[in-house]
């Protein structure tokens, strides 16, 4: 693959970035990080079946930010 087909960090190819975008588009706003497994599979395929820390970090960096869910209220938990 040529250097111009890689992202800014040179880790994920343009093809993998498009594949990740397709996965992200399948999920509703706020739930798009659910595309993680499909995105990791695309990166793994690019790397001949292997994932490493660098690839996994690059994949996570491409996914949209997601608001963290609030912790359950202690009072609500005590009622359960």
């Amino acid at each position: 693959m040529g250097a111009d087909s890689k992202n800014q960090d040179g880790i994920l190819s343009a093809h993998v970035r498009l594949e990740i975008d397709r996965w992200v588009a399948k999920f509703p706003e706020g739930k798009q990080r659910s595309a993680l497994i499909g995105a990791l599979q695309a990166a793994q395929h690019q790397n001949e079946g292997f994932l490493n820390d660098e690839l996994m970090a690059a994949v996570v960096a491409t996914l949209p930010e997601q608001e963290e869910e609030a912790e359950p209220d202690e009072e609500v938990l005590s009622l359960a």
Side-chain angles (χ1 to χ4, degrees), residues 3-5 8 13 17 23 26 34 37 44-45 47 51 54-55 71-72 77 79:
D4 57 342
S5 68
Q8 63 206 15
S13 69
R17 293 289 309 240
W23 275 104
K26 293 179 181 188
S34 297
I37 299 299
Q44 183 178 20
H45 181 75
N47 199 36
L51 282 173
E54 186 179 35
L55 274 174
E71 292 292 323
L77 290 175
L79 296 175

Side-chain angles (χ1 to χ4, degrees), residues 15-26:
H15 175 76
V16 170
R17 293 289 309 240
L18 285 172
E19 193 66 28
I20 291 171
D21 289 344
R22 286 187 201 117
W23 275 104
V24 168
K26 293 179 181 188

Side-chain angles (χ1 to χ4, degrees), residues 20 35-45 50-51 55-57 59-60:
I20 291 171
L36 179 62
I37 299 299
L40 287 171
Q41 286 177 327
Q44 183 178 20
H45 181 75
F50 297 95
L51 282 173
L55 274 174
M56 289 186 282
V59 167
V60 170

